[in-house]
Amino acid sequence: MVQLYNLHPFGSQQVVPCQREPEQFCGGGRDALFVAAGCRVEAFAVAGRQLCQPRGAFSTVGRVLRLAYSEAGDYLVAIEEKNKATFLRAYVNWRSKTTETSRVCIRMVGHNVEAPFNEIFRDQMSIIEMPLCEAPLCISCCPVKGDLLVGCTHELVLFSLKYQIVNDEFSVLDFERSLVIHIDNIIPVEISFCAGYVAVMSDLEVLILKLDSDLKNGGSVNHHPHEANNSVKQTREGTSHETSQIETDGFVICQKSTELLGEKSRQSGVSVTLESTGLTDENIKYFGFQHLLYRHFTPDISSYVFPDDIKLHSLQLLPIYQPGSLTSDGKSSSQKKELLSLFCFFSLPHVGYLYMVVKSVELMSVYQYPEKSQQAVLTPQFLHVITSNNLQCFTVRCSAAAAREEDPYVDTTLKACPPVSMDVCVLRIQLFIGLKAICHFKNHILLLTKADPESIPETRGSPKRLLSRKDTSVKLKTTVTEAGWSLYIVNTISPVQLYKEMIDYSNTYKTVKTQSCIHLLSEAHLLVRAALMDAHQLDPAEKAELLEAFKESCGHLGDCYSRLDTQYSHLALPYYKMSGLSMTEVLTRMDSAVEDGSQKYERGLIFYINHSLSENLDEELSEELAAKVIQMFHVADPKQLPHILCSPSMKNANPLTAMSYLRKLDTSGFSSILVTLTKAAMALKMGDLDLHRNEMKSHSEMKLACGFILEPRLLIRQRKGQVVPTELAVHLRETQPGLLVASVLGLQKNSKIGTEEADSFFKALCGKDEDTTPQLLVDFWEAQLVACLPDVVLQELFFKLTSQYIWRLSRRQPPDTTPLRTSEDLINACSHYGLIYPWVNVLISSDSLADKNYTEDLTKLQPFLGRYLK
């Protein structure tokens, strides 16, 4: 399903002032545009929104059949034809060719440049001739390394980009014929090469390989078995012979459509072998290859079209680089770029296919065109397709797939991203007359139009033109020149500007609870995300604006998922987290729907607030917002109300309001230990000690301890990374210390609190510094020893207790509170204590040692110390 919006991704346009009708054209780099016509190439400078300015021109040996530019190395390569012979030439240092009379140096690939010629090569353009055994059919430059791949009838030839060092101050760009890929049974019409990935396309077949530079891995995937190749070849030859025989009888047999992924693509019948021809070790050597994809299409003979019209076109490998893998000055560098993800696009006349080919091969999107397409170009943000009279702009999912490759926390409670499987949409269908070819670089779209006066449609009655939603938008009108052709540069608007238009458009869906609002906001989010992945071309102000738009889009998506009752409502949480909005800001943005006089809160908002309140945030809600949260959970999820009230963020909640809702839980059948403890805490906060005692007496201490295990924040809270006892914990220290120790012990036994955290809690509770040990903490250590917790290190616990006993005995320091256990209790309850030696009884009976606290510590220490020393 393709959704259609009438947005405005296209802005102003320029006319390229070329003198002849373009036969080939391409763009790239910072501002380079090349137009080939006849035996001449014109170079133009395209900077910002200014007019396209001529930069220079140079002659070719013949008519240009193919043209490609490489940003890495800043060179232009062309396949040229003269007298039915084809030539492959690379134009280096072309920027110095300002006039056609400027000197040009022609040299053969691999030719060594001597030092005396350094000044000559520095100031003039060089043409590098590249001889081949077979005639070149197509070319492709690697956007990462700058290497050149050439497609011939039976082989692909790889020329590695390198630099000849002439002296310490000067080096000359050159190529090395490093690899030959022999391919049988498929004649390349188009090829694409990127970071070792090779895509080959014939009229109805696509093959994608990954060259392997690892000798160990490459050895296992280097070649097909010889026997298999022969059998496959014989099968294909037999099928071809049989088909041709049946065709003579008036029948046509077409090969079945096939899609083979991964290693299954070995079964395609296309034989591939590698031949290394490199002479130096400066470049990466490829020892083998991996099969990624083979796809064969069958013409639909049911439609009334000619077989020549059913052909693949627009093969393209699109890389997305790792953010931050660029030079410090913000400019891309072939040595610094790190590939994050790679995508492959190819198209039939009425449908296009987009695959992800890194790590796993997966069909991401299928594009159905309303009209027959002629050519298409893929960018990280959009897919631009031309028909005879329309320029169409589709959305793509490349940034969504790359985000999952980049960040392992996507699709968790921390971060989110719209799914790759989301329906694609058409942002714009713009009328142009006589479209013939398209090219793209940076934020520019190059369009070649050639109008046939007899086929120009009447604009008034054309049903294909979409009216603009905004009268102030830029209207792109083509003017047919006397020659009947024009070359346009259409500037796409900035991502932030298009993002703002999408947000404005999405407001029309706000009052209607449909998926259209989420879909459009997701498109806006992916647009900004894709721009951030390619932010090295932006200045700091533009990048900051994109980051602000990204956070804003996350907030809008969070609002959508919090308001709409869908199966993905939980996504409100990660989108709100990425937006940087505080809980107070989210609650302020909330507009609750009123239905039948009662407020309804969708589960997305409830999930976000519940999760946020359970996270020990340092943010404290105001009394008004806290009351709003209590009312929300009373309506939507009353069982969570006790947990909500225990959150540190609800510190300012009115206890009277909270108590009234808790009492309603009692009458609704939700009475429990947890509700009782929460009511006791609220009563204590209100200062009603009688109500507090009544609540605490309604259950036994064992059940109360179980209640604290259900909600530890009744006793312990975190604030700015520090353990803070609650008001209820402080009150229990004075009134029920045994319950407090038992409860904290239960928390530790159920992994709700760690050993160090428990020690810090008791020290903070008793107001002691780090060097002082309160008796309540000693009681907790003794309780740990009796309980024999499995995660407690006994030797460490022995040391803590013996050190404390000895310290108090040596200083005759009494405990600050009455111990909860006597030595007799410990001996009877704990197997770690041995019997008391007789000499201890003699010391205890002495009149000079009649202090009860002293005798208790000595009685605890003697059997314990004796066991510890063993």
Side-chain angles (χ1 to χ4, degrees):
M1 178 181 177
V2 179
Q3 302 206 26
L4 176 61
Y5 299 107
N6 192 20
L7 299 171
H8 303 83
F10 309 127
S12 61
Q13 73 177 34
Q14 308 172 35
V15 177
V16 181
C18 45
Q19 299 177 4
R20 302 179 184 176
E21 179 181 348
E23 296 176 356
Q24 299 290 333
F25 57 91
C26 68
R30 301 185 300 273
D31 59 349
L33 170 61
F34 303 93
V35 180
C39 297
R40 189 169 184 266
V41 174
E42 295 182 76
F44 298 90
V46 183
R49 305 291 178 180
Q50 300 175 2
L51 294 178
C52 182
Q53 299 294 331
R55 169 176 268 153
F58 49 88
S59 300
T60 61
V61 72
R63 188 170 64 92
V64 177
L65 302 180
R66 297 291 180 104
L67 197 64
Y69 169 80
S70 173
E71 182 177 1
D74 191 26
Y75 68 89
L76 183 71
V77 62
I79 298 177
E80 304 168 17
E81 181 186 39
K82 182 179 182 181
N83 298 330
K84 297 183 179 181
T86 54
F87 305 87
L88 180 65
R89 310 173 99 202
Y91 297 84
V92 180
N93 198 21
W94 56 270
R95 296 180 187 272
S96 63
K97 181 71 173 175
T98 55
T99 64
E100 291 196 57
T101 58
S102 300
R103 295 182 60 184
V104 175
C105 172
I106 302 177
R107 57 190 171 93
M108 193 70 68
V109 63
H111 172 70
N112 291 326
V113 180
E114 301 297 334
F117 298 97
N118 57 355
E119 294 300 327
I120 298 176
F121 282 101
R122 187 194 304 270
D123 299 329
Q124 70 181 18
M125 183 177 76
S126 297
I127 301 177
I128 303 176
E129 298 274 2
M130 301 182 185
L132 295 167
C133 298
E134 296 183 353
L137 302 176
C138 44
I139 51 179
S140 177
C141 301
C142 174
V144 179
K145 298 291 185 181
D147 299 338
L148 172 64
L149 187 67
V150 184
C152 304
T153 304
H154 299 100
E155 63 186 23
L156 308 178
V157 183
L158 177 62
F159 291 90
S160 299
L161 179 67
K162 67 175 186 178
Y163 291 88
Q164 289 189 25
I165 299 177
V166 179
N167 53 41
D168 295 338
E169 300 179 355
F170 182 64
S171 61
V172 176
L173 184 146
D174 199 6
F175 296 89
E176 178 188 3
R177 180 187 169 110
S178 59
L179 182 71
V180 177
I181 307 173
H182 298 279
I183 299 182
D184 296 333
N185 304 324
I186 182 172
I187 299 177
V189 175
E190 291 185 33
I191 60 174
S192 188
F193 181 61
C194 180
Y197 290 83
V198 178
V200 185
M201 186 182 76
S202 66
D203 288 341
L204 290 173
E205 292 176 287
V206 175
L207 176 68
I208 304 178
L209 305 172
K210 179 186 178 183
L211 300 180
D212 201 331
S213 59
D214 188 346
L215 180 59
K216 295 181 179 179
N217 294 336
S220 61
V221 295
N222 194 3
H223 307 286
H224 288 303
H226 184 68
E227 296 79 1
N229 284 338
N230 289 338
S231 61
V232 169
K233 187 173 181 179
Q234 292 173 3
T235 302
R236 293 175 68 99
E237 290 176 352
T239 303
S240 176
H241 174 74
E242 181 180 354
T243 302
S244 61
Q245 178 67 35
I246 295 179
E247 286 175 352
T248 60
D249 298 332
F251 295 93
V252 176
I253 294 180
C254 299
Q255 184 180 346
K256 183 180 179 181
S257 296
T258 307
E259 181 190 45
L260 301 174
L261 302 179
E263 286 302 310
K264 289 184 179 180
S265 59
R266 285 176 173 271
Q267 305 169 11
S268 63
V270 178
S271 174
V272 181
T273 56
L274 303 185
E275 177 188 354
S276 179
T277 59
L279 300 178
T280 65
D281 296 329
E282 296 178 0
N283 298 291
I284 295 177
K285 300 301 180 183
Y286 297 106
F287 299 99
F289 60 89
Q290 299 175 16
H291 291 265
L292 299 180
L293 170 69
Y294 172 79
R295 184 149 188 178
H296 182 276
F297 295 90
T298 300
D300 184 6
I301 60 176
S302 63
S303 59
Y304 297 96
V305 293
F306 294 102
D308 292 341
D309 294 335
I310 309 298
K311 292 182 180 180
L312 291 167
H313 63 76
S314 304
L315 176 68
Q316 183 180 349
L317 288 175
L318 176 72
I320 290 184
Y321 305 112
Q322 184 78 38
S325 63
L326 301 164
T327 54
S328 59
D329 59 357
K331 298 180 180 179
S332 60
S333 170
S334 60
Q335 287 76 24
K336 295 294 183 179
K337 288 182 179 180
E338 295 181 13
L339 192 66
L340 174 63
S341 194
L342 187 68
F343 306 90
C344 182
F345 175 82
F346 49 87
S347 181
L348 286 170
H350 289 90
V351 59
Y353 300 90
L354 179 60
Y355 282 85
M356 179 173 60
V357 295
V358 170
K359 293 186 179 179
S360 63
V361 183
E362 178 183 351
L363 178 61
M364 288 176 50
S365 303
V366 177
Y367 294 88
Q368 300 287 344
Y369 311 137
E371 299 179 25
K372 178 184 174 183
S373 65
Q374 299 186 98
Q375 201 174 348
V377 290
L378 179 68
T379 72
Q381 291 91 1
F382 305 112
L383 172 68
H384 300 287
V385 181
I386 59 170
T387 65
S388 60
N389 293 302
N390 283 322
L391 169 62
Q392 303 171 7
C393 178
F394 291 83
T395 58
V396 296
R397 305 287 168 257
C398 297
S399 59
R404 288 169 170 81
E405 295 289 334
E406 175 195 6
D407 195 341
Y409 293 101
V410 173
D411 299 327
T412 65
T413 57
L414 298 175
K415 297 179 182 179
C417 182
V420 175
S421 59
M422 188 174 65
D423 292 337
V424 298
C425 71
V426 183
L427 293 186
R428 183 75 176 173
I429 300 179
Q430 183 67 50
L431 176 65
F432 270 91
I433 299 175
L435 286 168
K436 297 298 180 182
I438 184 173
C439 179
H440 176 275
F441 75 102
K442 290 184 67 174
N443 63 323
H444 308 297
I445 301 173
L446 276 67
L447 297 173
L448 175 62
T449 64
K450 186 175 182 180
D452 184 358
E454 297 180 358
S455 61
I456 298 178
E458 295 184 7
T459 307
R460 183 186 303 176
S462 176
K464 300 182 179 67
R465 180 162 188 173
L466 300 180
L467 297 179
S468 171
R469 289 193 303 110
K470 296 183 179 180
D471 296 332
T472 59
S473 64
V474 178
K475 297 182 179 180
L476 307 179
K477 295 182 179 180
T478 61
T479 302
V480 181
T481 63
E482 295 180 358
W485 60 267
S486 292
L487 184 62
Y488 295 97
I489 298 179
V490 178
N491 300 312
T492 56
I493 66 175
S494 68
V496 173
Q497 185 178 347
L498 183 56
Y499 161 78
K500 291 178 179 178
E501 184 180 353
M502 288 180 169
I503 297 301
D504 292 340
Y505 198 177
S506 69
N507 291 332
T508 60
Y509 298 102
K510 251 185 178 180
T511 57
V512 183
K513 292 190 175 183
T514 65
Q515 290 293 330
S516 296
C517 183
I518 291 181
H519 187 279
L520 189 54
L521 289 174
S522 298
E523 295 289 3
H525 177 85
L526 289 179
L527 173 67
V528 176
R529 187 184 282 270
L532 284 172
M533 287 184 173
D534 196 31
H536 64 278
Q537 297 180 351
L538 305 175
D539 57 41
E542 291 175 319
K543 188 173 181 180
E545 190 178 19
L546 275 175
L547 288 171
E548 186 63 28
F550 178 82
K551 292 182 178 180
E552 184 186 72
S553 71
C554 293
H556 288 311
L557 282 170
D559 291 340
C560 266
Y561 284 111
S562 66
R563 291 183 176 97
L564 302 183
D565 187 12
T566 71
Q567 59 177 328
Y568 303 109
S569 298
H570 62 280
L571 293 176
L573 174 63
Y575 279 119
Y576 274 142
K577 280 184 175 293
M578 293 191 300
S579 70
L581 294 171
S582 65
M583 197 164 24
T584 298
E585 291 171 326
V586 171
L587 290 171
T588 304
R589 292 158 64 104
M590 182 190 65
D591 54 344
S592 305
V594 179
E595 298 180 4
D596 300 329
S598 62
Q599 290 181 317
K600 182 182 179 182
Y601 303 97
E602 300 296 351
R603 54 183 178 177
L605 180 63
I606 297 299
F607 179 78
Y608 161 74
I609 297 177
N610 190 13
H611 198 283
S612 299
L613 290 177
S614 65
E615 283 184 346
N616 296 326
L617 300 176
D618 294 330
E619 179 185 6
E620 294 181 358
L621 298 178
S622 64
E623 181 178 348
E624 180 182 358
L625 289 179
K628 191 174 187 178
V629 170
I630 294 174
Q631 195 271 339
M632 287 170 53
F633 277 88
H634 173 71
V635 173
D637 193 1
K639 290 184 179 180
Q640 293 296 323
L641 198 52
H643 297 283
I644 295 302
L645 290 170
C646 293
S647 171
S649 300
M650 298 290 287
K651 178 182 178 181
N652 298 323
N654 190 313
L656 290 174
T657 304
M659 185 66 78
S660 64
Y661 283 107
L662 289 172
R663 284 170 177 164
K664 293 178 182 179
L665 288 182
D666 286 341
T667 59
S668 304
F670 293 125
S671 179
S672 65
I673 303 297
L674 184 56
V675 175
T676 298
L677 288 174
T678 309
K679 289 166 63 178
M682 292 298 111
L684 193 63
K685 194 173 181 180
M686 294 163 50
D688 194 338
L689 296 180
D690 292 335
L691 179 57
H692 168 77
R693 282 191 291 268
N694 291 334
E695 294 292 342
M696 296 297 289
K697 290 179 181 179
S698 60
H699 297 283
S700 64
E701 285 197 356
M702 182 178 294
K703 289 186 176 181
L704 293 176
C706 292
F708 287 120
I709 295 174
L710 294 175
E711 184 47 79
R713 291 178 299 178
L714 284 166
L715 297 176
I716 305 171
R717 293 179 182 176
Q718 296 279 350
R719 183 174 298 167
K720 296 181 180 179
Q722 300 295 325
V723 176
V724 179
T726 64
E727 188 177 353
L728 179 58
V730 174
H731 185 74
L732 291 178
R733 181 196 65 184
E734 304 296 335
T735 57
Q736 294 177 280
L739 172 61
L740 182 61
V741 171
S743 299
V744 177
L745 187 66
L747 293 177
Q748 186 182 22
K749 192 172 183 179
N750 288 274
S751 302
K752 298 294 184 69
I753 189 175
T755 302
E756 295 183 1
E757 190 178 5
D759 291 355
S760 300
F761 166 74
F762 280 107
K763 287 185 178 182
L765 181 66
C766 299
K768 302 296 183 180
D769 56 26
E770 291 294 329
D771 298 329
T772 305
T773 303
Q775 175 58 37
L776 203 58
L777 179 55
V778 177
D779 293 331
F780 176 66
W781 289 342
E782 293 174 348
Q784 283 182 298
L785 195 62
V786 173
C788 298
L789 297 182
D791 58 337
V792 174
V793 180
L794 288 177
Q795 293 298 327
E796 183 178 348
L797 192 57
F798 292 161
F799 179 77
K800 288 179 180 178
L801 286 170
T802 53
S803 299
Q804 184 59 25
Y805 295 150
I806 293 173
W807 183 84
R808 291 203 304 218
L809 286 170
S810 62
R811 289 170 173 75
R812 302 188 69 88
Q813 180 72 36
D816 54 347
T817 59
T818 303
L820 297 179
R821 287 181 173 85
T822 64
S823 58
E824 185 177 353
D825 294 334
L826 293 174
I827 294 173
N828 293 333
C830 184
S831 61
H832 299 292
Y833 281 86
L835 298 176
I836 299 178
Y837 292 162
W839 62 266
V840 175
N841 293 325
V842 173
L843 286 176
I844 293 175
S845 61
S846 174
D847 292 337
S848 61
L849 300 176
D851 185 4
K852 182 179 179 181
N853 293 323
Y854 187 91
T855 59
E856 276 295 321
D857 285 344
L858 183 60
T859 306
K860 290 179 181 179
L861 174 64
Q862 182 271 315
F864 187 59
L865 185 59
R867 185 130 185 155
Y868 174 65
L869 291 176
K870 290 181 181 180

